[in-house]
Amino acid sequence: RSVSLDVTIRPFGLAHQSRSGTSRGMSTSPLHSNLVLPGVRCRAHIGLSEEERAEAQWVVVDLALSFTSPPAATHSDRIDDTVDYATLTATVVKVCTSRPYVLLERLAQALYSELRETLRAETGLWLEASKLRAPLAELEHGARFGLGDWQGGASVTSARRVAVRRN
């Protein structure tokens, strides 16, 4: 008695068909992946008034990147085959410390523009910049502003907000 199996090679691995014809071990959908770097901290001179900008204050930036297919590093385990966290965080620090900013919105746009230059065109980017202390007593958790070309990033970075509030 012989049993034949149909084998289908997928771009990211091997899936095989069971005797019933259903796929086991791998989805037939293409793999998508993302990288989240929550909580990149640095100090920035930011604020509406000169007095507020005079002293550097903590800013936290959450980054979310979306890849149309998983980076080659998922197989090679080589830093050259993926996005380097150190490069991204150094870029955030450089932008935050390069000049004073009046508005969080302007800082976020400057961050987006600079980070976008370091990424491949097909990589989606979403970022949220947080000013931890706003000069308004009613803003218990400061202020956040997000923007990017990957809408899914907003839901990814919002999970961090919920976790921070619970702690």
Side-chain angles (χ1 to χ4, degrees), residues 130-158:
S130 301
K131 185 173 159 182
L132 299 181
R133 291 193 192 119
L136 300 170
E138 297 81 10
L139 290 178
E140 182 180 353
H141 298 288
R144 298 174 66 86
F145 182 79
L147 64 87
D149 51 45
W150 177 44
Q151 289 300 313
S155 61
V156 171
T157 57
S158 67

Side-chain angles (χ1 to χ4, degrees), residues 8-9 12 19 30 33 38 52 62 88 95 100 109-110 113-114 120 141 156 158 166:
T8 306
I9 297 177
F12 304 108
R19 288 182 214 164
S33 60
E52 191 181 1
D62 297 333
L88 294 174
V95 171
Q109 180 61 55
S113 296
E114 195 74 23
R120 294 179 177 195
H141 298 288
V156 171
S158 67
R166 288 183 185 150

Side-chain angles (χ1 to χ4, degrees), residues 11 21 25-26 40 63 77 97 119 122 126 161:
M26 177 131 192
V40 179
L63 303 174
D77 204 21
T97 59
L119 301 171
E122 66 272 10
W126 178 265
R161 276 196 302 274

Side-chain angles (χ1 to χ4, degrees), residues 2-133:
S2 67
V3 176
S4 66
L5 296 176
D6 295 327
V7 176
T8 306
I9 297 177
R10 303 279 182 225
F12 304 108
L14 182 67
H16 64 274
Q17 298 292 320
S18 67
R19 288 182 214 164
S20 65
T22 59
S23 179
R24 291 189 330 195
M26 177 131 192
S27 169
T28 57
S29 301
L31 288 177
H32 298 279
S33 60
N34 63 55
L35 171 68
V36 179
L37 298 178
V40 179
R41 288 176 28 130
C42 60
R43 296 181 64 79
H45 291 271
I46 186 168
L48 194 56
S49 68
E50 284 186 38
E51 296 82 35
E52 191 181 1
R53 288 190 307 275
E55 188 175 327
Q57 52 190 297
W58 286 109
V59 171
V60 176
V61 179
D62 297 333
L63 303 174
L65 284 69
S66 171
F67 305 101
T68 54
S69 61
T74 59
H75 297 287
S76 73
D77 204 21
R78 293 177 26 141
I79 190 69
D80 293 340
D81 292 336
T82 193
V83 175
D84 184 359
Y85 307 170
T87 299
L88 294 174
T89 57
T91 300
V92 168
V93 171
K94 180 182 88 172
V95 171
C96 287
T97 59
S98 67
R99 59 169 280 234
Y101 295 91
V102 174
L103 300 175
L104 194 55
E105 292 86 342
R106 177 63 191 114
L107 172 60
Q109 180 61 55
L111 287 164
Y112 174 82
S113 296
E114 195 74 23
L115 288 164
R116 187 77 257 166
E117 292 292 320
T118 68
L119 301 171
R120 294 179 177 195
E122 66 272 10
T123 302
L125 171 63
W126 178 265
L127 69 88
E128 290 186 10
S130 301
K131 185 173 159 182
L132 299 181
R133 291 193 192 119

